[in-house]
Amino acid sequence: MKDNISRCGYIAIIGRPNVGKSTLLNHILGMKLSITSRKPQTTRHQIIGVKTLANIQAVFVDTPGIHQRRGSAINKYMNRAAVSVLNDVDVILFVVPLASWTEEDQAIVNRFKYVDVPVILVVNKIDRLKKKRDLLPVLKQLQTKYSFHAIIPVSALNNTNLDGLEQTVFSLLPEAEHFFPPDQVTDRSMRFLAAEIIREKLVRELGQELPYTSTVMIDRYEERPDIVHIHATIFVETDGQKSIIIGRKGERLKSIGTHARKEIAEMINNKIYLNLWVKVREGWSNDEKALRGLGYGEQ
Ligand SMILES: Nc1nc2c(ncn2[C@@H]2O[C@H](COP(=O)(O)OP(=O)(O)OP(=O)(O)O)[C@@H](O)[C@H]2O)c(=O)[nH]1
Ligand SMILES: [Mg+2]
């Protein structure tokens, strides 16, 4: 943006699970903030990432993947977290993978009828394209789905065309004073981010073995001058899941802990003592009250 007008606004990143929303946020920010994995439904809470460049402040909101499967309370919570944001933002980034347009994408587009916000279609994962000339027909086809403000092909993972995307976003931000100080990147506490990092290592370590029935709660987060003590509990729903996480001779849990500790230490630039427990709490993912107790509150 060439003008010197102060601009600031909110940008929602939405789409179905696993399309690369959190990867996109992290690569726009140039830092790992939101957790990512190969498994769908990795993100569970809204998380904001603030990018400030001179007179521009863009407040991106990463959201859980919107999905059709209803049912459990945690699924409803995640859809609510994603959809509730639509009316409160200045720009919507609707992320789809290059590969296919699904019923879930269509269901999301149908919701745009009810919002009066420009929608940019972000076609992600174009690094998977074998021949460049195959892109155009795909984009043409996508054009028919909705009157998008723009359709922008990117590879979040490889940082391809993210600059172009950012410039388009910035041009849509309203004139406003900045909401956050220039050095603030998120509104989430380190305590929250630590729980998320532990959950990411858990999801990555377990791959397909564990259904979406684990969550992490920080019991204690104590900052001392030369070290931070963190006590965290991983909640699962059955004894079987508990033993999977702990692994033979506790090896799995140890590996999860080591990876998480390293990443948290890097993030806060301090030493970490991390104590991890695994506990069974039957049916937590379908129990509204238990969910609130575990940090899945109103939003
Ligand atoms: N090849 C390729 N893979 C990508 C790209 N962007 C993201 N991915 C991968 O896609 C998978 C899902 O990425 P996430 O960023 O966790 O996706 P998400 O949309 O946030 O998923 P949920 O939080 O579950 O809704 C990860 O394995 C990423 O590495 C891309 O541009 N190219
Ligand atoms: Mg995500």
Side-chain angles (χ1 to χ4, degrees):
M1 300 281 298
K2 297 220 167 40
D3 58 37
N4 284 320
I5 300 164
S6 173
R7 291 178 190 277
C8 184
Y10 280 86
I11 306 105
I13 305 177
I14 66 158
R16 63 182 151 96
N18 213 35
V19 294
K21 299 178 295 298
S22 302
T23 306
L24 180 67
L25 174 71
N26 293 340
H27 286 246
I28 286 174
L29 294 177
M31 70 172 282
K32 160 86 180 291
L33 177 67
S34 194
I35 66 168
T36 67
S37 87
R38 277 186 295 164
K39 270 186 100 175
Q41 296 187 252
T42 299
T43 305
R44 286 185 181 165
H45 308 270
Q46 276 181 20
I47 178 165
I48 70 161
V50 185
K51 180 151 186 169
T52 308
L53 288 174
N55 54 322
I56 308 274
Q57 185 163 75
V59 186
F60 293 91
V61 188
D62 186 18
T63 64
I66 299 172
H67 51 88
Q68 303 285 66
R69 263 179 301 131
R70 269 162 229 285
S72 66
I74 178 101
N75 271 341
K76 285 188 193 136
Y77 169 88
M78 285 164 64
N79 271 341
R80 232 174 17 240
V83 173
S84 68
V85 76
L86 294 182
N87 276 308
D88 303 326
V89 295
D90 304 290
V91 183
I92 294 171
L93 299 185
F94 174 35
V95 184
V96 296
L98 180 71
S100 57
W101 179 269
T102 67
E103 269 176 38
E104 279 180 325
D105 292 319
Q106 191 56 47
I108 295 171
V109 159
N110 294 342
R111 289 176 186 273
F112 296 154
K113 279 196 276 220
Y114 307 104
V115 296
D116 187 22
V117 177
V119 180
I120 298 174
L121 183 69
V122 179
V123 184
N124 190 28
K125 307 196 184 184
I126 60 163
D127 53 286
R128 293 209 172 138
L129 201 64
K130 295 215 175 67
K131 291 186 224 115
K132 250 192 174 166
R133 64 164 191 270
D134 291 343
L135 183 60
L136 206 60
V138 177
L139 299 185
K140 276 216 164 120
Q141 183 57 31
L142 290 171
Q143 237 170 20
T144 63
K145 306 291 185 190
Y146 182 76
S147 53
F148 297 110
H149 175 85
I151 299 180
I152 304 185
V154 304
S155 165
L157 203 60
N158 295 350
N159 289 329
T160 310
N161 210 15
L162 296 192
D163 277 350
L165 173 62
E166 283 177 40
Q167 289 309 317
T168 310
V169 167
F170 293 164
S171 70
L172 289 167
L173 297 182
E175 281 185 44
E177 294 299 316
H178 293 184
F179 304 142
F180 297 93
D183 55 351
Q184 188 170 345
V185 184
T186 188
D187 60 342
R188 292 292 193 171
S189 64
M190 202 45 232
R191 196 183 168 110
F192 171 87
L193 297 177
E196 286 287 276
I197 290 169
I198 297 166
R199 198 162 60 75
E200 180 187 78
K201 302 312 166 207
L202 183 67
V203 173
R204 289 188 175 188
E205 183 86 24
L206 290 156
Q208 299 301 320
E209 278 179 76
L210 195 71
Y212 312 106
T213 42
S214 57
T215 194
V216 176
M217 196 156 151
I218 305 290
D219 307 309
R220 223 170 91 198
Y221 188 98
E222 203 179 295
E223 290 181 36
R224 303 184 189 167
D226 52 346
I227 194 165
V228 178
H229 278 239
I230 303 174
H231 293 243
T233 306
I234 298 169
F235 284 100
V236 290
E237 297 203 308
T238 65
D239 285 323
Q241 291 166 355
K242 180 173 169 176
S243 23
I244 289 173
I245 291 180
I246 292 173
R248 269 187 58 229
K249 296 186 186 150
E251 275 167 14
R252 267 252 172 78
L253 189 63
K254 201 170 150 196
S255 163
I256 292 166
T258 308
H259 287 113
R261 181 169 51 72
K262 280 190 186 145
E263 191 166 318
I264 300 167
E266 211 173 288
M267 198 165 204
I268 60 175
N269 204 11
N270 202 345
K271 273 201 211 126
I272 299 286
Y273 168 80
L274 178 60
N275 192 337
L276 272 185
W277 289 90
V278 186
K279 283 188 193 154
V280 178
R281 188 181 283 184
E282 242 172 81
W284 71 264
S285 68
N286 199 21
D287 175 347
E288 298 276 358
K289 200 167 150 231
L291 275 176
R292 279 194 295 276
L294 291 166
Y296 298 87
E298 286 301 313
Q299 48 193 339

